[in-house]
Amino acid sequence: MHDADPQLPGALMAAEIAEQPDILAGLLAARDELDEAARRIAGARPRFVLIAARGTSDHAALYAKYLVEIRRGLPAGLASPSAFTLYGATPDLTDVLFLAISQSGRSPDLVESMAVARACGALTMAVTNTPDSPLALGAEISIDVRAGVERAVAATKTYTAELLALLVLLGGDGAAHEAAGLPEAAARTLAANGDERLAAVTAPFRYANRIVVSGRGYSYPTAREAALKLMETSYVSAQAFSGADLLHGPLAMIDASVPVIAVTTPGRSGAAMRPVLDRLAEAGAEVLPVGPRRGLAVAATGLPEHVVPIVEIMPLQLLARQLAVERGLDPDAPRGLSKVTHTR
């Protein structure tokens, strides 16, 4: 990807996407905080992990849920902040790890939910890009993802930094070693999806009113994050489904007018998408694969499947930016949105 003119629409988003290899390298190089937090979690021996987040961070939370269930062998769930904030629920959270993920650390419902969880007996941990935020200061364990200031409204570098932090925290013994190749893989992935490739693959999406994104397993959070990026930057109705759920009903809406992005990077999740691709072909859908040689490239060689989501979202970030610019929009400043969303 070429350096963008700072005066052009999407220049901030382009620059922040390009920063990701260095940010991942920096987080790996300064992971003492992560290692200590991982030791505290192990020492606490939680029986359950409850995860709270909003927006892009909610997709990081879903990734964390997969890590906890598969790599830790523990049950995990996504919290409903309104249960705490609107309905005043005070569940028994003894021996529970309550994990809140937020780039800004300033969403009132997450801050309040963490306070309630702590009062209910949970061990509380915040993963943020703002170590002096109310969420970080209110947690017993606070993790700074060190992504630097993110000025584009659409989150990119903070998302992948969150994923890497969560991998080291929750991915079990050896997770940091497994992630050692990430910075290089990220750089190769960005380089492989240059302007020419992006221009070639955006054609079916340029005038689409609806887009479907699908993935399975560890790649399902990628599909959800990609759909959000398309919605907030190009104002297109983008829906994300797991490959399994897509076959349970939503497939009926798919035809040649609804292009589909399918995350098919190597591994069990990619293999599980094969019957989905067959059904999409029968429906006459235009399918853009993410992972193989054609479509959007992901430099996943040598990375374990549970590490790949940290790089496989990057070409989709590039796609979202490219599509917005081609539609005459500025993905740096989507209408009606701001960097911090205040919800209760």
Side-chain angles (χ1 to χ4, degrees):
M1 183 179 63
H2 300 304
D3 291 336
D5 184 328
Q7 302 303 315
L8 294 178
L12 293 177
M13 187 175 179
E16 288 166 357
I17 292 172
E19 290 175 26
Q20 290 175 109
D22 288 341
I23 289 169
L24 296 176
L27 188 55
L28 285 171
R31 69 171 203 270
D32 290 350
E33 181 181 67
L34 290 170
D35 290 342
E36 174 58 27
R39 284 191 289 269
R40 286 190 65 182
I41 294 169
R45 298 176 61 85
R47 59 182 170 85
F48 189 87
V49 180
L50 190 60
I51 313 163
R54 294 290 193 193
T56 283
S57 293
D58 200 33
H59 307 144
L62 181 57
Y63 173 69
K65 185 176 185 294
Y66 277 99
L67 287 174
V68 171
E69 292 175 340
I70 299 169
R71 303 284 294 175
R72 291 275 185 169
L74 290 174
L78 301 180
S80 301
S82 60
F84 300 100
T85 62
L86 298 183
Y87 297 98
T90 55
D92 181 2
L93 297 181
T94 305
D95 298 327
V96 170
L97 172 64
F98 185 91
L99 168 61
I101 310 168
S102 170
Q103 290 130 22
S104 71
R106 289 185 167 83
S107 183
D109 53 354
L110 296 183
V111 175
E112 184 177 345
S113 296
M114 174 167 283
V116 173
R118 188 169 181 175
C120 290
L123 171 66
T124 55
M125 180 168 67
V127 174
T128 79
N129 192 43
T130 316
D132 60 350
S133 64
L135 190 69
L137 295 175
E140 293 162 273
I141 305 171
S142 177
I143 299 299
D144 177 8
V145 301
R146 302 170 183 266
V149 176
E150 191 171 56
R151 293 185 293 163
V153 169
T156 54
K157 63 180 183 176
T158 51
Y159 177 67
T160 51
E162 285 177 350
L163 295 189
L164 176 53
L166 292 166
L167 172 66
V168 177
L169 288 167
L170 304 172
D173 294 340
H177 177 73
E178 292 172 327
L182 270 173
E184 181 184 353
R188 287 190 286 118
T189 296
L190 294 176
N193 294 281
D195 296 342
E196 186 175 336
R197 183 187 288 259
L198 289 172
V201 302
T202 54
F205 301 90
R206 198 167 295 139
Y207 303 108
N209 293 317
R210 291 184 296 159
I211 297 172
V212 167
V213 192
S214 186
R216 287 205 67 179
Y218 283 113
S219 292
Y220 180 40
T222 302
R224 291 186 54 172
E225 173 61 9
L228 177 60
K229 285 292 155 284
L230 290 165
M231 285 188 284
E232 65 185 352
T233 59
S234 292
Y235 315 151
V236 62
S237 177
Q239 293 175 280
F241 299 97
S242 82
D245 287 334
L246 184 61
L247 299 183
H248 278 267
L251 184 70
M253 73 175 178
I254 303 293
D255 58 26
S257 69
V258 183
V260 178
I261 299 170
V263 187
T264 56
T265 41
R268 296 185 189 186
S269 59
M273 286 293 292
R274 288 172 192 155
V276 181
L277 295 176
D278 291 341
R279 295 292 299 277
L280 290 171
E282 292 172 7
E286 180 82 37
V287 177
L288 171 62
V290 180
R293 292 182 181 274
R294 64 187 185 91
L296 292 173
V298 179
T301 302
L303 295 180
E305 181 179 353
H306 57 279
V307 180
V308 171
I310 303 173
V311 293
E312 73 184 0
I313 187 59
M314 294 180 188
L316 291 161
Q317 296 170 341
L318 293 171
L319 176 69
R321 178 196 171 274
Q322 177 80 9
L323 187 60
V325 171
E326 289 184 4
R327 289 181 170 217
L329 305 170
D330 184 0
D332 290 341
R335 67 190 181 201
L337 299 180
S338 61
K339 196 62 187 170
V340 181
T341 301
H342 295 276
T343 50
R344 282 203 167 276

